[in-house]
Amino acid sequence: MTAVSAPDVISNVLAERYASAAMKNLWSPRGRVGLERDFWIAVMKAQRDLGVPIPADAIKDYERVKTQIDLESIAQRERVTLHDVKARIEEFSELAHRQFIHLGLTSRDLTENVEQLQIIRALELVRFKVAAALLALSRQAEAHRDVMITGRTHNVPAQPTTLGKRLAMFGQELQIAFARLDELIARYPVRGLKGAVGTQLDQLTLLGGDAGKVDQLEQRVLRHLGFKASLTAVGQVYPRSLDFDAVTALHQVAAAAASFATTIRLMAGAGLLTEGFQPGQVGSSAMPHKVNARNCERICGFATILSGYVTMTGALAGHQWNEGDVSCSVVRRVALPDAFYALDGSLETFLTVLRQMEVFPAAIAAENERNLPFLTTTTILMEAVKQGAGRETAHEAIKEHALAAAKALRSGGDADLLARLAGDKRIGLGKRALSAILAEAHRFVGSAPHQVDAFVDDVKPLAKRFKGSADYEPARLL
């Protein structure tokens, strides 16, 4: 059995359910057989041009029937041959009433190259959707550029920031993942026509020992597949560390989406926003009031699925025997298609949330008002230092009063932090000075608005580079 048997691709049903039609078509058994037949025809044409006696009419006969794909018939043949590629050779040749495909090829000349074609096309589809997500994130960040929110570290109120800055923060993580995808696509090499152990012996024999013609044949195949480079010193299979490279790049994208989704879940739980709630949608069968962040939860789940495929492909890297073996077959037939399904489902869901999310400014303002005296303690500390207070002395004093006020707030006591601070000579700032600090709320978000602007400017060129990405509409989610 070869790596990903076309009639019998196993996948995670949930991940496939949320993947787009384009991604599913790319990895479908029918799509895979179609790619293989196109590959065989391209090789035949190149071999004929280089002197292999293949009649032009034979090529036309194969082209005439290449779309007649009967997966059940192929499966029946495989049950007899116990060899998936041989079953597909027999099926295609019988349809054409010819026997000119697969000349000088080993199974891996077919399967490795076609699998890598699926991977590179899937990576390109992912890149387009990541560009779409970045543009959607930039629009949301720009729209909420100046909306001050309670910034949190360890999920505890820390300092003010803006909602736009928070979104740009996740956008920058996604930008880094996008750059890795871009670089991977640019350098990703195909195996090429190398034969059973990588020496090209059978093609050399077929082409009369002319190494120049063998090189020409491979270049023709590369052009057909759309690759810029092939591996030169490779065995029967390409290094499985390349699969690990691809799947970890997908996981990096999923991680950025999950970072966004995790924070949206926390904010939704605090009533500050919602990921979107559609007419007729039900949050709970028992609790009518529930508005769950179910899509963001799904995004986090997809990232977990991908972490499993990182483990699976990582276990294959470095474990091929000699020039290659097929011990990886059972793993790759699950890991490769489903990793792409999972990420595609994550991106479709991510884009849906970015288009449907709703922000509640009044709830955000109420949270800010409750937390603002505490959020300004670092600014108060700096102002105290400017007035001559010792940094550590002022820090200790502010800490004492902030903790006491926070405890009082929770227990119903006197929670007036400003009054507490104004009465402490260690800080050196009176009530009027402290009130003036709090009145300058725009100061507290620091450079957040300008950081949003920088993110938006960085992302803007993607709309021109990837036509249609700015307006991409995800499929309707169930």
Side-chain angles (χ1 to χ4, degrees):
M1 296 289 287
T2 54
V4 183
S5 178
D8 187 31
V9 174
I10 304 167
S11 68
N12 180 302
V13 175
L14 178 65
E16 185 177 3
R17 177 183 180 187
Y18 294 102
S20 64
M23 187 63 79
K24 284 190 279 193
N25 288 339
L26 185 55
W27 288 99
S28 72
R30 185 173 299 276
R32 166 65 180 266
V33 171
L35 290 175
E36 289 180 344
R37 290 181 177 183
D38 283 339
F39 178 83
W40 271 321
I41 290 169
V43 172
M44 278 195 298
K45 288 180 177 179
Q47 287 175 332
R48 173 181 163 79
D49 290 346
L50 291 168
V52 178
I54 300 175
D57 287 345
I59 295 175
K60 290 179 181 178
D61 287 339
Y62 278 108
E63 289 182 317
R64 176 175 49 81
V65 299
K66 71 176 185 177
T67 59
Q68 297 179 25
I69 300 172
D70 185 338
L71 297 177
E72 180 53 35
S73 178
I74 294 171
Q76 288 176 6
R77 292 179 186 276
E78 188 174 342
R79 283 192 282 272
V80 175
T81 62
L82 299 183
H83 195 288
D84 54 350
V85 173
K86 187 64 167 68
R88 300 200 291 275
I89 293 170
E90 288 181 358
E91 177 79 7
F92 196 19
S93 293
E94 188 169 306
L95 285 170
H97 302 293
R98 299 283 190 170
Q99 293 188 23
F100 289 98
I101 60 167
H102 211 69
L103 299 185
L105 303 182
T106 188
S107 295
R108 291 295 179 166
D109 285 321
L110 175 73
T111 59
E112 296 286 295
N113 289 301
V114 169
E115 286 160 21
Q116 288 192 280
L117 179 59
Q118 289 176 296
I119 289 170
I120 198 68
R121 288 185 179 178
L123 287 171
E124 289 168 347
L125 179 57
V126 165
R127 180 175 60 179
F128 175 87
K129 292 186 181 183
V130 174
L134 281 167
L135 289 164
L137 256 176
S138 72
R139 287 193 294 271
Q140 288 285 7
E142 190 170 30
H144 301 97
R145 174 185 186 270
D146 301 308
V147 178
M148 187 174 79
I149 62 173
T150 298
R152 295 171 179 269
T153 60
H154 307 271
N155 200 37
V156 176
Q159 279 188 340
T161 183
T162 73
L163 180 55
K165 163 60 194 294
R166 182 172 280 173
L167 295 173
M169 178 174 70
F170 302 125
Q172 187 152 75
E173 184 177 4
L174 190 60
Q175 275 184 299
I176 295 168
F178 177 86
R180 181 178 175 192
L181 267 179
D182 219 19
E183 179 267 339
L184 176 59
I185 290 168
R187 66 169 169 77
Y188 189 80
V190 71
R191 175 182 175 272
L193 297 184
K194 297 301 193 300
V197 294
T199 62
Q200 300 178 306
L201 172 63
D202 295 337
Q203 292 302 329
L204 275 168
T205 302
L206 192 65
L207 293 167
D210 190 329
K213 286 186 176 182
V214 173
D215 290 342
Q216 290 179 54
L217 174 63
E218 183 158 270
Q219 287 303 313
R220 285 274 295 268
V221 170
L222 258 65
R223 285 196 297 273
H224 165 75
L225 295 171
F227 286 90
K228 296 177 181 177
S230 65
L231 296 166
T232 52
V234 65
Q236 186 182 88
V237 301
Y238 66 82
R240 295 315 184 212
S241 53
L242 268 177
D243 290 340
F244 181 70
D245 200 3
V247 173
T248 51
L250 302 185
H251 186 264
Q252 191 167 352
V253 173
S259 291
F260 162 88
T262 299
T263 291
I264 295 300
R265 291 167 67 185
L266 292 168
M267 293 182 73
L272 306 178
L273 51 69
T274 174
E275 65 171 30
F277 200 74
Q278 304 309 297
Q281 184 173 339
V282 175
S284 166
S285 63
M287 297 163 282
H289 69 283
K290 294 291 290 296
V291 180
N292 302 335
R294 62 193 291 269
N295 284 330
C296 285
E297 292 168 3
R298 183 176 294 138
I299 291 169
C300 294
F302 280 131
T304 302
I305 289 172
L306 270 159
S307 69
Y309 294 126
V310 167
T311 300
M312 289 167 70
T313 53
L316 294 181
H319 285 273
Q320 291 292 298
W321 287 18
N322 298 322
E323 286 75 28
D325 70 275
V326 294
S327 59
C328 55
S329 175
V330 68
V331 178
R332 295 177 71 246
R333 72 176 64 225
V334 176
L336 291 179
D338 202 44
F340 281 100
Y341 287 152
L343 183 63
D344 195 67
S346 175
L347 288 172
E348 289 285 310
T349 311
F350 188 19
L351 284 159
T352 298
V353 173
L354 287 169
R355 279 157 175 73
Q356 296 179 356
M357 62 184 286
E358 183 181 0
V359 176
F360 304 135
I364 290 173
E367 184 183 59
N368 288 340
E369 184 176 358
R370 183 172 65 254
N371 290 314
L372 193 57
F374 300 95
L375 301 180
T376 58
T377 54
T378 55
T379 302
I380 292 169
L381 175 60
M382 291 301 99
E383 292 294 343
V385 170
K386 285 165 62 176
Q387 296 300 316
R391 195 269 182 196
E392 299 309 315
T393 299
H395 182 281
E396 181 62 26
I398 294 170
K399 184 189 79 169
E400 288 175 11
H401 294 304
L403 292 176
K407 185 175 182 179
L409 185 66
R410 298 183 186 106
S411 59
D414 178 13
D416 190 346
L417 177 59
L418 256 62
R420 292 169 180 268
L421 295 175
D424 194 320
K425 294 181 179 180
R426 292 174 294 174
I427 299 171
L429 295 172
K431 187 73 175 281
R432 181 178 296 178
L434 291 169
S435 297
I437 293 171
L438 256 66
E440 297 180 300
H442 64 279
R443 292 177 54 192
F444 304 139
V445 299
S447 299
H450 303 295
Q451 292 170 344
V452 172
D453 295 340
F455 169 67
V456 171
D457 288 344
D458 282 347
V459 170
K460 197 172 295 182
L462 294 177
K464 186 175 181 180
R465 181 179 170 193
F466 298 95
K467 300 295 183 184
S469 58
D471 304 313
Y472 179 76
E473 288 291 336
R476 186 177 184 277
L477 297 177
L478 296 177

